[in-house]
């Protein structure tokens, strides 16, 4: 019997060994070819793709269309599965890969019918842009054809790779719309429900202007607080009863999708060139969203073009970068780009059926449409969505013009034509000019609103008038420019363009203040600001919490020690910062629990408005209205202490085995965790697929933005003309293949805060694309 068991065990181990060998061999066979030659009939001249130690795709071509083919080829080699997810995400086609768990997400995307819109827009693009997208798609598909086996993601899902089509690149841009403006849609619908349920006073109270304002012209909106509304009078008996469990209500922390950028003119650098900093804040995954690239090709007049930066796999453009004379970067502008329309009961509606494919079978999704846009119901009221992303001018490839522009004024003139989610475009050139410019798809309507409008007030039939200049500022008297998702433009301009979910402004103010501390800057100075994690915003919260706990010094003796030693920074070793941040969040949750409970009943949440609540919560803490208190809480002092204890104990339960506060250092609680989509579902794969975990630092209310899987998706600093000194750090590697040497290349430098160079290093692999008469 024992001999049989040993035999069975030996057979089992042999099978496991063969399986491991098979998987390893398959993975190796799916590695892309990075050296040698590839013949193709789809280019006009010899084209090369080099790779340096980071895997940067260095492309040399004889024209821009061949460069687009080569960039598509490189993207297809290194990132095709990521590209596939991006197009499927915006098109609502993820369930075809992942089955029923993805159906709800697909339905939320099908609501916008973005695949049909992308295909319609592609047919209307200028011929040159159509050809460029086609060449890019040809390059992607040629790379896929060269692979012996598909990447492991397709082997695991048993899905077939679908060819890349030119309109798919527009779907990738639409994915950015969903990321950057998705909360704007939720924000307005949430405010509409708050107004209907609690009244105008509650909406005004929640959205009141904070003291954190940092517009470039120093203009201020009045910040006089409105009266605190009565909350209990708006609640039903059952909702009043639920207030007794206020500490159980959690308002999810919003993902602060946005960015920082700033610039100084040449008067503030030793070289006379202006200098630009840009770090875009997005969710992290493996592979990281951006892809290092340098394009080298002659323009139409034969002049050499060299543009270096990051591209978005799925599109043929350098999104952020420098061409040696002009550099550019973006932050999300958060102007109002959407309106919900309150439909009359007799409004004509149409139901169409979107078919969602599954690995086996399909599912029907009935979608209601109106003349204004797709329709959603809240109770008995129907609302239609009019959103700039639904307009024919929403996406195009005009952004690529920046590659060949050599000065700030010309770049500013082009910006109003960019078909991208509206952005704060920051520009710097080698002549010393610097500028901020609103850029992207802006609706022509001027009657912006935080709540739903009646149909007769909706005008969505044209682009922002080309002869009406978008807000901008070039070479200010201060020689400094900044944006960080808060209001950048003047109060007068802000009335015209509205609020689509501005950041609180604490980050902008801290960047502005840092820039005002010096008269001369270099790249290392800008990098220090990018990594600035001083917790200025949290100073009053730390003082308030410390004062509250000092009323019971024996009970909170250990807590008080940590709070006094908090170092006033979101530092990896700070326990006090962890406690202060958790306390603030819990106090917000506790105080606004009645409003959140009502919103939850309509599948809405204050989460998209949580950044607005800062002035309102301080007003509540100072005035302490009794009708906002839960029934079982005697006063606000008790609520404050209960909120702190709840937040602290929740942290201890999660992070401390012995109940000691020392386990709550911010580096551990905010550990940088960048995962592959598959390891989230199968944790055993984490060791092979994820980036190494790193002690975290930073927060959303300071220049150094970081959460566990969110933060600066790139760190870019450059003086045009001095690119050899420029910085480009990314929190992940270039390749999406786990066996590639470029899978994690560069991550360690990012994690250490090292200044990774922008320009490619020595080329260590080169693939040559050779024109051929034979059809691919």
């Amino acid at each position: 019997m024992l001999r049989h068991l040993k035999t069975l065990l030996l057979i089992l181990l042999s099978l496991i060994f063969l399986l491991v060998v098979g998987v390893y061999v398959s993975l190796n066979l799916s590695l892309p070819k990075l050296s040698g030659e590839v013949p193709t009939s789809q280019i006009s001249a010899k084209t090369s793709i080099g790779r340096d130690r980071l895997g940067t795709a260095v492309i040399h071509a004889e024209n821009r269309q061949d460069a687009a083919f080569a960039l598509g080829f490189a993207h297809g080699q290194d990132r095709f599965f990521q590209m596939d997810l991006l197009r499927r995400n915006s098109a609502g086609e993820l369930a075809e890969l992942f089955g029923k768990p993805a159906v709800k997400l697909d339905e939320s995307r099908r609501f916008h019918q973005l695949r049909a819109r992308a295909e319609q827009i592609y047919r209307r693009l200028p011929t040159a842009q159509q050809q460029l997208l086609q060449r890019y798609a040809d390059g992607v598909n040629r790379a896929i054809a060269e692979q012996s086996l598909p990447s492991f993601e397709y082997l695991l899902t048993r899905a077939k790779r679908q060819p890349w089509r030119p309109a798919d690149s527009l779907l990738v841009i639409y994915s950015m719309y969903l990321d950057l403006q998705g909360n704007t849609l939720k924000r307005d619908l949430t405010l509409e429900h708050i107004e209907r349920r609690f009244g105008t006073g509650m909406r005004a109270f929640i959205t009141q202007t904070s003291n954190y304002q940092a517009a470039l012209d120093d203009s201020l909106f009045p910040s006089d607080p409105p009266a605190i509304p009565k909350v209990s009078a708006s609640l039903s008996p059952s909702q009043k009863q639920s207030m007794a469990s206020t500490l159980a209500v959690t308002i999810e922390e919003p993902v602060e999708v946005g960015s920082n950028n700033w610039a100084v003119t040449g008067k503030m650098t030793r070289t006379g060139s202006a200098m630009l900093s840009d770090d875009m804040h997005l969710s992290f995954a493996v592979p990281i969203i951006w892809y290092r690239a340098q394009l080298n090709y002659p323009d139409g007049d034969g002049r050499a073009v060299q543009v270096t930066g990051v591209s978005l796999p799925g599109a043929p453009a350098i999104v952020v970068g420098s061409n040696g004379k002009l550099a550019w970067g973006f932050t999300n502008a958060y102007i109002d780009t959407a309106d919900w329309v309150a439909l009359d009961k007799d409004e004509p509606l149409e139901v169409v059926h979107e078919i969602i494919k599954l690995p086996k079978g399909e599912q029907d999704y009935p979608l209601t449409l109106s003349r204004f846009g797709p329709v959603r119901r809240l109770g008995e009221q129907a609302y239609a969505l009019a959103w700039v992303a639904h307009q024919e001018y929403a996406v195009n490839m005009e952004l690529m013009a920046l590659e060949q522009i050599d000065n700030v004024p010309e770049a500013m003139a082009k910006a109003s034509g960019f078909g991208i989610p509206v952005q704060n475009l920051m520009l710097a050139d080698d002549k010393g000019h610097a500028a901020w410019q609103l850029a992207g798809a802006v609706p022509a309507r001027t009657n912006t609103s935080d709540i739903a409008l009646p149909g007769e007030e909706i005008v969505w039939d044209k682009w922002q008038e080309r002869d009406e200049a978008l807000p901008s500022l070039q070479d200010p008297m201060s020689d400094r420019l900044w944006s960080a998702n808060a209001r950048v433009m003047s109060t007068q301009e802000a009335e015209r363009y509205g609020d689509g979910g501005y950041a609180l402004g604490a980050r902008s103010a801290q960047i502005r203040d840092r820039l005002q501390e010096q008269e001369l800057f270099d790249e290392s100075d800008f990098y220090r600001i990018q990594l600035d994690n001083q917790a200025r915003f949290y100073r009053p919260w730390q003082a308030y919490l410390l004062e509250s706990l000092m009323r019971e010094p024996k009970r909170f003796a250990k807590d008080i020690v940590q709070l006094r030693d908090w170092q006033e920074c979101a530092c990896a070793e700070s326990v006090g910062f962890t406690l202060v941040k958790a306390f603030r969040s819990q106090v917000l949750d506790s105080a606004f629990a009645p409003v959140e409970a009502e919103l939850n009943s309509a599948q809405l949440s204050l989460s998209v408005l949580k950044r607005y609540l800062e002035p309102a919560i301080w007003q509540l803490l100072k005035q302490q209205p009794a009708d906002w208190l839960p029934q079982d809480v005697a006063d606000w002092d008790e609520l404050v202490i209960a909120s702190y204890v709840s937040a602290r104990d929740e942290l201890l339960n999660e992070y401390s085995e012995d109940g000691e506060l020392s386990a709550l250092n911010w580096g551990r609680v905010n550990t940088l965790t960048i995962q592959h989509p598959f390891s989230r579902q199968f944790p055993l794969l984490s060791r092979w697929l994820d980036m190494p975990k790193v002690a975290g630092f930073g927060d959303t209310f300071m220049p150094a933005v970081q959460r566990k899987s969110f933060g600066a998706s790139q760190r870019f600093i450059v003086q045009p003309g001095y690119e050899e000194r420029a910085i480009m750090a990314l929190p992940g590697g270039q390749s999406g293949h786990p066996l590639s040497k470029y899978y994690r290349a560069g991550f360690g430098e990012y994690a250490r805060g090292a200044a990774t160079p922008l320009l490619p290093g020595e080329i260590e692999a080169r693939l040559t694309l050779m024109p051929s008469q034979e059809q691919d």
Side-chain angles (χ1 to χ4, degrees):
M1 183 68 175
L2 184 60
R3 187 170 61 184
H4 289 305
L5 286 175
K6 288 183 178 179
T7 301
L8 289 173
L9 181 61
L10 182 61
I11 293 172
L12 179 61
L13 291 173
S14 299
L15 290 173
I16 292 173
F17 174 76
L18 291 173
L19 177 62
V20 170
V21 170
V23 169
Y24 184 80
V25 170
S26 297
L27 285 173
N28 268 287
L29 288 175
S30 64
L31 277 166
K33 175 183 177 181
L34 303 183
S35 298
E37 291 187 1
V38 173
T40 176
S41 62
Q42 295 167 314
I43 58 174
S44 62
K46 178 181 174 182
T47 303
S48 68
I49 307 171
R51 260 86 168 193
D52 70 350
R53 69 174 183 87
L54 295 173
T56 307
V58 182
I59 292 168
H60 289 266
E62 293 302 313
N63 54 68
R64 186 59 178 88
Q65 292 209 352
D66 284 356
F69 180 93
L71 186 59
F73 194 98
H75 284 168
Q77 283 188 310
D78 291 330
R79 298 288 192 89
F80 185 75
F81 183 71
Q82 175 197 10
M83 295 161 58
D84 196 8
L85 290 185
L86 284 174
R87 65 175 170 179
R88 287 178 180 274
N89 172 59
S90 54
E93 296 169 355
L94 289 169
E96 191 173 1
L97 282 181
F98 302 113
K100 288 189 175 181
V103 167
K104 284 296 181 185
L105 179 59
D106 276 359
E107 288 178 349
S108 72
R109 301 319 197 207
R110 292 294 180 98
F111 183 78
H112 303 291
Q113 297 182 301
L114 296 179
R115 178 168 286 286
R117 298 183 195 280
E119 291 171 352
Q120 291 168 6
I121 288 174
Y122 173 72
R123 291 193 290 269
R124 297 192 185 106
L125 287 177
T127 300
Q129 292 187 28
Q130 289 182 340
Q131 291 174 343
L132 200 75
L133 290 172
Q134 182 63 63
R135 292 288 80 75
Y136 175 82
D138 290 341
V140 174
N141 294 326
R142 187 70 179 91
I144 299 307
E146 281 291 303
Q147 286 186 292
S148 302
L149 282 177
S151 62
F152 78 96
E153 296 96 341
Y154 292 101
L155 295 175
L156 287 177
T157 59
R158 293 182 293 179
K160 291 184 178 180
R161 295 173 297 182
Q162 301 299 321
W164 194 262
R165 296 185 290 179
D168 290 342
S169 292
L170 304 184
L171 282 172
V172 169
I173 300 174
Y174 273 131
S175 269
M176 299 308 295
Y177 267 100
L178 292 167
D179 281 348
L180 299 176
Q181 296 185 8
N183 277 347
T184 297
L185 315 184
K186 297 175 185 176
R187 171 191 178 275
D188 285 8
L189 203 58
T190 301
L191 288 172
E192 165 73 9
H193 192 71
I194 287 172
E195 174 131 334
R196 285 178 174 258
R197 192 67 186 83
F198 293 96
T200 303
M202 181 65 81
R203 177 167 68 90
F205 178 63
I206 285 174
T207 59
Q208 63 180 287
T209 304
S210 83
N211 292 323
Y212 294 101
Q213 300 182 57
L216 291 175
D217 68 345
D218 294 324
S219 61
L220 298 174
F221 277 118
S223 56
D224 295 336
I228 298 176
K230 298 289 185 182
V231 68
S232 59
S234 303
L235 301 177
S236 67
S238 62
Q239 288 171 328
K240 289 180 181 179
Q241 183 63 35
S242 71
M243 287 180 68
S245 59
T246 184
L247 292 176
V249 174
T250 299
I251 304 171
E252 184 179 348
E253 289 293 323
V255 175
E256 297 277 353
V257 176
S259 309
N260 300 327
N261 62 20
W262 60 88
V264 296
T265 70
K267 294 178 182 179
M268 306 196 77
T269 67
R270 292 180 178 85
T271 65
S273 174
M275 186 159 59
L276 167 75
S277 172
D278 186 83
D279 53 289
M280 296 181 285
H281 308 152
L282 295 168
S283 295
F284 290 157
V286 177
I288 203 67
I289 189 169
W290 305 115
Y291 184 92
R292 298 174 182 271
Q294 183 186 82
L295 307 182
N296 298 271
Y297 62 92
D299 66 12
D301 296 325
R303 294 175 300 185
V305 174
Q306 181 181 87
V307 56
T308 313
V310 291
S311 59
L312 177 62
I318 298 297
V319 178
V320 167
S322 177
N323 62 19
K325 294 184 177 296
L326 176 77
W328 60 94
F330 297 98
T331 73
N332 200 29
Y334 280 112
I335 67 167
D336 188 2
T337 57
D339 287 318
W340 287 96
V341 186
L343 299 176
D344 295 332
K345 291 187 177 179
D346 59 353
E347 177 71 34
L349 301 176
E350 174 191 6
V351 177
V352 299
H353 293 271
E354 294 280 326
I355 304 302
I356 297 175
K357 293 183 180 179
L358 299 167
K360 294 183 180 179
E362 57 189 31
Q363 189 162 319
D364 176 63
Y365 170 54
L367 174 61
T368 303
L369 301 176
S370 72
R371 60 194 169 111
F372 303 105
V375 176
R376 176 176 175 179
R377 288 188 177 274
L378 283 182
E380 297 298 317
Q381 179 64 54
Y383 298 94
L385 176 63
W387 182 24
V388 73
H390 295 167
Q391 309 306 309
E392 64 180 19
Y393 55 79
V395 294
N396 60 37
M397 302 311 297
E398 294 290 337
L399 172 66
M400 295 175 62
L402 292 175
E403 293 179 9
Q404 298 181 27
I405 292 176
D406 63 7
N407 63 84
V408 162
E410 187 179 347
M412 295 172 72
K414 288 282 187 181
S416 64
F418 293 170
I420 58 173
V422 63
Q423 299 286 295
N424 296 305
L425 170 63
M426 199 68 71
L427 298 162
D429 68 25
D430 64 340
K431 302 170 186 66
H433 299 301
W436 160 78
Q437 169 77 61
L438 199 67
V442 177
R445 60 93 166 92
T446 58
N447 58 331
T448 61
S449 176
D450 284 343
I451 58 174
L453 294 172
E456 59 268 20
E457 296 185 21
I458 301 297
V459 181
W460 279 81
D461 58 354
K462 56 182 177 179
W463 187 305
Q464 159 76 31
E465 294 292 346
R466 295 300 184 101
D467 58 356
E468 180 189 344
L470 293 173
S472 64
L473 180 62
Q474 179 184 332
D475 299 335
M477 291 183 62
S478 71
D479 294 305
R480 301 165 175 88
L481 295 157
W482 60 87
S483 81
N485 311 121
R487 176 175 63 90
V488 182
M489 63 187 74
S490 69
T491 54
Q492 183 178 0
E493 290 169 327
E495 292 286 351
R496 153 69 179 92
Y497 293 98
D499 182 357
Y502 282 136
L504 180 65
R507 212 170 0 112
S508 298
Q510 192 159 330
I511 291 169
R512 175 201 61 196
D513 294 347
R514 291 300 193 194
L515 290 174
Q516 291 174 349
E517 291 173 355
Q518 292 181 230
E519 296 298 324
L520 201 63
F521 293 90
D522 61 21
E523 290 83 358
S524 63
D525 296 320
F526 270 24
Y527 206 35
R528 278 194 296 273
I529 299 176
Q530 285 193 358
L531 300 177
D532 177 16
N533 65 352
Q534 185 180 18
R536 295 183 178 187
F537 169 79
Y538 288 96
R539 286 170 177 168
W541 284 102
Q542 184 263 357
Y544 184 84
L545 176 56
L546 192 57
E547 180 184 358
S548 299
L549 299 189
M550 284 297 291
R551 298 190 187 107
E552 301 182 62
K554 290 184 178 180
R555 179 185 177 188
F556 295 111
K558 293 182 179 180
D559 309 69
I560 290 168
V561 169
Q562 296 292 352
L563 288 169
R564 284 176 170 167
D565 191 35
W566 77 310
Q567 301 173 66
E568 199 183 275
C569 65
C571 308
E573 65 275 13
S574 177
V575 173
F577 179 81
T578 303
L579 297 175
V580 171
K581 178 177 173 62
F583 166 67
R584 174 185 177 273
S585 185
Q586 183 60 62
V587 168
L588 286 168
D589 293 354
S590 301
F592 287 91
V595 181
E596 178 68 4
E598 166 59 29
L599 290 170
N600 289 169
S601 68
Q603 289 76 55
L604 297 170
S605 173
L606 271 173
S607 174
V608 293
L609 298 168
K610 200 168 185 178
R611 68 180 76 176
Y612 286 85
L613 300 180
E614 184 70 10
I617 187 60
W618 281 112
Q619 197 175 347
L620 288 171
L621 291 173
K622 290 174 182 177
Q623 298 185 26
Q624 302 190 352
D627 77 310
W628 280 68
L629 288 172
Q631 294 178 356
D632 60 346
V633 175
D635 55 34
W636 277 84
D637 289 342
E638 183 179 334
L639 181 67
V640 166
I641 293 298
S643 295
Y644 171 70
V645 171
S646 174
R648 180 200 62 188
D649 290 353
E650 184 176 341
L651 286 167
L652 289 171
N653 287 336
E654 184 172 357
Y655 296 101
S656 178
E657 295 180 0
D658 56 7
E660 289 297 320
L661 291 175
S662 58
L664 303 184
N665 63 81
W666 185 235
R668 183 180 182 190
V669 173
N670 194 41
T671 298
L672 182 60
T673 306
I674 306 180
Q675 296 181 282
H676 190 281
F678 281 17
S679 75
R680 294 172 187 168
Q681 303 300 319
F682 307 103
L684 289 175
L685 298 176
S686 179
R687 177 181 176 184
W688 293 277
L689 297 183
D690 297 345
M691 293 297 114
K693 291 185 177 182
V694 177
F697 76 108
D699 181 60
T700 55
F701 295 112
M702 56 193 64
V705 170
Q706 192 207 301
R707 291 171 63 177
K708 288 186 176 181
S709 58
F710 179 87
S713 61
Q714 43 73 250
R715 295 182 182 132
F716 175 48
I717 300 168
V718 65
Q719 296 185 64
Y722 297 88
E723 280 71 19
E724 72 279 1
R725 296 158 46 168
I727 296 167
M728 180 66 82
L730 271 65
Q734 185 85 333
S735 173
H737 197 297
L739 293 188
S740 169
K741 64 184 295 186
Y742 305 126
Y743 188 70
R744 295 185 174 88
F747 173 77
E749 293 165 73
Y750 176 95
R752 295 193 305 273
T756 312
L758 166 70
L759 289 181
E762 182 180 352
I763 299 301
E764 58 183 36
R766 190 182 305 276
L767 187 70
T768 304
L769 307 175
M770 299 295 294
S772 167
Q773 298 302 315
E774 297 182 10
Q775 293 297 311
D776 293 354

